[in-house]
Amino acid sequence: MRMVDIIEKKAGCEPLSSEEIQFFIDGFVSGDIPDYQASALLMAIVLNDMNEREAADLTLHMMHSGDTVDLSDLPGVKVDKHSSGGVGDTTTLVVAPLVAACGGTVAKMSGRGLAFSGGTIDKLESIPGVNISQTIERFKQIVRKTGVCVIGQTGNLVPADKKMYALRDVTGTVQSVPLIAASIMSKKLAAGADAIVLDVKVGSGAFMKTVEDAKRLAELMVKMGKLLKREVVAVVTDMNQPLGLSVGNALEFREAVQLLAGQIPENDPLYEICLLLGTQMLLLSKLAKTDDEARGMLKHAIENGSGLEKLRSMIHELGGDASLVTLKGMDQLCTTRRQIPVPAKNSGYIVDMQAELIGRAAQVLGAGRATKEDVIDPAVGLVMHKRVGDRVEQGDAICTLYVNDESNLADAMETMTEAVRIGEKPKFVTPMVYAVIR
Ligand code: URA
Ligand code: CA
């Protein structure tokens, strides 16, 4: 087989065989196929697409490019969740312990923040002592003991994706539904869960900019799950503004604790999406028969504090200081030298937010990395006071910046002012949930 023939075939819009896809993945990972040939094929896929069978083959061969985790010796249905990335999206820290409190088994590997979007692993590390690099044996032991464990992805999980993602990032080949689906699903399948709930984000703070594309991605991933014998449900949800009000690592952890402590109202978007995801996880785990039953169980685990207790146990098992996982402890972790409000430039209604820019404002304050070597300040970031549709008067605080290092303060202020557009008339507010795909 020759790589150039495979490139020409895809350039001519022909579907690739499973053997051809395997030849590409094996050669790319081993280094036998150079980046320039891989880039040419990736671009041909971006332009000419893949059918479902090709996407499933790509996923499978990527999944088997490295280690896979076997969770079969753990009892019950092992359930995982994944969000396609967003701003102020702290659902994992809420839903994973809540589902465990309802009897579920949640074994999950998470990533770090990427550019403007946050990552669960960075948020976990805002608690002093937490070690997110655990052996698979210890990971399973924690799941067995507490019903929930979230750790960082182990070293050799889907090396094909690591290498391909880095190449896609610099060759304009990120935006392809089958490539994104294979990237996400190969990692989820390799991590070993029986059932997976996917939250596909759509909007200004997401990879998918239109509901149509997001639905296509969601449907493709659900079908792939079926082909590969896992239970997959995907929801398509809004990312046109930060999901929670907080953006930043300890700040988002605090919001998760607030939610688990019953301090956040039910009509709050973060609450709504957490209950939606938790409901799907309980249904797939066969712990509830209907949406209503699952919602009731989740609410009960908020009201009686058992969800918060699970989060505390997990932090303790990961080596963290669990005594900080309280409302008071969280305030302590979110203390910065200065807290600076960003005022509204004029009066009117908030008609639009650029979630990506809000994520970027938090990043320049030190909540995220611009390069891989950057060190995160867990305490910094911002807390929104307004949402799309809200009325504001000139001078009202749109958000509060939590600042330690003031060198990028002006940049953050300007970015926030640009991110939030104020108009004269109120705007129709977009829904939070666009689709649930089973
Ligand atoms: N997230 C991933 O893991 N991969 C992609 O390609 C896009 C988002
Ligand atoms: Ca995330």
Side-chain angles (χ1 to χ4, degrees), residues 82 84 161 165 168 174 179-180 183-184 187 207:
H82 178 81
S84 68
D161 181 63
Y165 198 90
R168 285 167 62 210
V174 170
L179 291 181
I180 294 174
S183 168
I184 292 174
K187 286 176 284 191
F207 285 106

Side-chain angles (χ1 to χ4, degrees), residues 77 79-81 91 94-100 102 104 106 195-198 232-235 266 270-302 433 436 438:
V77 178
V79 64
D80 192 355
K81 74 159 277 277
T91 50
V94 176
V95 173
L98 265 189
V99 168
C102 296
V106 186
I196 302 157
V197 176
L198 299 164
V232 181
V233 171
V235 299
E266 277 183 41
L270 178 64
Y271 189 109
E272 185 181 335
I273 299 302
C274 285
L275 256 70
L276 172 70
L277 296 172
T279 295
Q280 301 307 324
M281 288 169 80
L282 289 178
L283 291 173
L284 288 185
S285 301
K286 313 267 188 275
L287 292 166
K289 288 197 177 65
T290 63
D291 282 26
D292 279 351
E293 187 189 354
R295 282 184 76 87
M297 289 163 72
L298 294 161
K299 279 190 193 174
H300 188 64
I302 294 174
V433 182
V436 178
R438 291 196 166 83

